[in-house]
Amino acid sequence: MAEYDDLDDTGRRDFLLKVTTVVTGAGAVAASIPFVASMNPSAELLAKANTEVDLSDIPVGGMHTVAWQGKPIFILHRTPESIKAMEATNGGLKPEQDSDRVKKPEWLVVIGVCTHMGCVPNKEGPGWTCHCHGSQYDDSGRVLRGPAPNNLEVPPYRFIADNKIMIGQA
Ligand code: FES
């Protein structure tokens, strides 16, 4: 390289430093593109971020469990008697209005993970029982007996049709 040969020692050192900086910078940019791209959620991941559920198969009094973001979601089709009972009380340990926990009285949608240590409660009669340590929840997902400290969490969801919900979108 003629230009390089014409330089004295100081000039050569500066030249090599500039070349190294340019090459290193280009490498860093090239290396960061896949890294940044990997931070964008894939279409598959986005699909799992939202779960569409057709409610028409769930009979009155029945419950379905679906997966959303790796968590079980309990969808309970409440009976008129259950709705009446849930609306008549604020729950137990963590009082909350039933109407603040549902979008339509006949449908309860909650994350099926016990708020104590994360076990999956069982549907037993009215409400749920967590057999890990004995916590109990009512048909609004409100904790009646600990050690669970909180009510079952209501995930973000919305009705996209009369009998269809999209979990993951408020
Ligand atoms: S994890 Fe449910 S009571 Fe402990």
Side-chain angles (χ1 to χ4, degrees):
M1 185 184 301
E3 287 177 22
Y4 180 78
D5 290 339
D6 293 341
L7 298 172
D8 60 13
D9 281 351
T10 306
R12 285 180 184 158
R13 193 170 51 243
D14 290 348
F15 178 82
L16 287 172
L17 185 63
K18 283 179 192 164
V19 169
T20 305
T21 305
V22 169
V23 170
T24 307
V29 169
S32 68
I33 289 171
F35 175 71
V36 170
S38 73
M39 292 172 70
N40 291 328
S42 66
E44 187 187 1
L45 198 63
L46 281 175
K48 286 180 184 164
N50 300 310
T51 300
E52 184 178 314
V53 185
D54 186 349
L55 306 175
S56 47
D57 291 341
I58 309 174
V60 175
M63 185 188 93
H64 276 197
T65 303
V66 299
W68 172 69
Q69 294 190 351
K71 299 173 198 157
I73 302 293
F74 296 158
I75 303 172
L76 177 64
H77 194 172
R78 302 191 302 184
T79 63
E81 297 75 30
S82 171
I83 295 167
K84 201 171 166 189
M86 292 304 101
E87 288 177 344
T89 169
N90 280 347
L93 300 179
K94 283 282 176 177
E96 206 177 348
Q97 291 278 340
D98 182 65
S99 57
D100 290 338
R101 297 180 52 78
V102 295
K103 295 190 190 291
K104 292 185 179 181
E106 62 270 39
W107 295 107
L108 177 76
V109 181
V110 288
I111 297 176
V113 174
C114 181
T115 60
H116 179 225
M117 291 180 75
C119 291
V120 176
N122 286 357
K123 184 81 180 92
E124 289 175 2
W128 288 267
T129 300
C130 180
H131 288 286
C132 286
H133 310 97
S135 294
Q136 285 190 325
Y137 301 90
D138 67 10
D139 269 348
S140 189
R142 297 171 298 199
V143 61
L144 299 176
R145 193 177 78 192
N150 287 308
N151 299 333
L152 294 179
E153 190 180 341
V154 177
Y157 73 95
R158 66 187 174 91
F159 278 83
I160 54 174
D162 268 359
N163 263 334
K164 238 176 222 175
I165 59 171
M166 182 68 81
I167 304 169
Q169 295 177 359

